């Protein structure tokens, strides 16, 4: 037995199809992001600092007037410590481009990279009680 063929109902108020976008004279389509990542990073030597997703970045100074938009954004965001993952997400740049950009800022001494703050294990309860009893005796 074959299933019945059903025709999809079309709504009464259909919007007209969108007009096709005009193509450039050369025939090549314009990409969504016209800037390439190497223009944002601008690094020529290819050296990168040892940065991890959880490495904290802190700005040392305000952005200079001659700074690129990405550098200015990093320096404005990093007035309080931010991780590399957060910076990458806020600026919508891949982590690889962020590492090159942050490496340049570290070399220019505009930012400081530091390891994340690791929480210490909880203190021993008996030690805390001994300190509390000692303070109560005073």
């Amino acid at each position: 037995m074959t299933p019945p063929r059903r025709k999809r109902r079309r709504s009464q108020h259909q919007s007209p199809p969108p007009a096709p976008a005009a193509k450039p004279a050369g025939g090549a389509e314009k990409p969504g992001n016209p800037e390439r990542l190497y223009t944002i990073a601008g690094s020529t030597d290819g050296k990168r600092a040892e940065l991890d997703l959880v490495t904290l970045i802190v700005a040392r100074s305000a952005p200079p007037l001659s700074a690129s938009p990405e550098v200015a954004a990093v320096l404005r965001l990093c007035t309080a410590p931010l991780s590399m993952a957060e910076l990458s997400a806020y600026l919508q740049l891949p982590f690889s481009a962020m590492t090159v950009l942050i490496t340049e800022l570290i070399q220019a001494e505009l930012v400081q990279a530091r390891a994340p703050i690791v929480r210490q294990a909880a203190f021993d309860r008996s030690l805390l009680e001994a300190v509390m009893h000692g303070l109560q005796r005073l």
Side-chain angles (χ1 to χ4, degrees):
M1 182 175 224
T2 60
R5 292 189 164 179
R6 296 183 182 178
K7 293 183 180 179
R8 180 172 281 200
R9 292 183 188 179
R10 298 192 183 234
S11 64
Q12 299 292 341
H13 303 288
Q14 279 189 341
S15 62
K23 292 186 178 180
E29 292 186 25
K30 186 176 181 180
N33 185 3
E35 291 186 45
R36 299 283 182 217
L37 293 178
Y38 60 82
T39 61
I40 292 172
S43 178
T44 57
D45 60 358
K47 294 182 183 178
R48 293 185 187 179
E50 293 293 324
L51 299 170
D52 196 5
L53 286 172
V54 294
T55 302
L56 295 177
I57 307 297
V58 183
R60 289 183 165 184
S61 65
L65 295 176
S66 61
S68 68
E70 291 81 14
V71 170
V74 167
L75 292 175
R76 272 188 265 113
L77 286 171
C78 290
T79 54
L82 279 180
S83 70
M84 286 289 294
E86 291 172 315
L87 281 174
S88 181
Y90 288 147
L91 297 178
Q92 298 177 349
L93 290 173
F95 180 72
S96 58
M98 283 302 302
T99 56
V100 175
L101 185 64
I102 296 298
T103 300
E104 289 179 359
L105 292 175
I106 291 171
Q107 290 173 351
E109 297 182 356
L110 293 173
V111 297
Q112 178 185 6
R114 62 182 191 204
I117 300 168
V118 179
R119 289 189 174 193
Q120 296 178 348
F123 292 106
D124 185 23
R125 183 180 174 106
S126 61
L127 175 65
L128 292 175
E129 287 176 356
V131 170
M132 182 181 71
H133 292 303
L135 290 172
Q136 287 175 347
R137 286 187 211 145
L138 293 176

